[in-house]
Amino acid sequence: MITAEYKRDAINSVLDEYGLSKEEFWKDSKKFLDNLEDKDAKLTLEIFMEVL
């Protein structure tokens, strides 16, 4: 079973991999993604948010 902690850790690992701010992401993830210019990071985060 996928837990909230697992999902959070997975998303945080993506943020770390791309050198992105965890604080900014968790403050408002939709706004963060809307303003994100790195298409690879954006797609990866969107997948992790939907699949996990």
Side-chain angles (χ1 to χ4, degrees), residues 30-42:
K30 174 143 177 45
K31 182 178 176 183
F32 183 90
L33 288 174
D34 288 344
N35 293 327
L36 189 59
E37 294 181 14
D38 185 328
K39 301 298 183 195
D40 290 334
K42 184 174 185 173

Side-chain angles (χ1 to χ4, degrees), residues 21-29 32:
S21 170
K22 293 177 195 171
E23 292 174 5
E24 292 298 317
F25 176 83
W26 291 112
K27 187 185 313 177
D28 186 350
S29 59
F32 183 90

Side-chain angles (χ1 to χ4, degrees), residues 9-22 25 32-33 36-48:
D9 291 346
I11 290 172
N12 281 340
S13 71
V14 172
L15 294 168
D16 285 341
E17 183 177 330
Y18 286 96
L20 302 170
S21 170
K22 293 177 195 171
F25 176 83
F32 183 90
L33 288 174
L36 189 59
E37 294 181 14
D38 185 328
K39 301 298 183 195
D40 290 334
K42 184 174 185 173
L43 180 60
T44 304
L45 285 168
E46 288 172 340
I47 289 170
F48 273 62

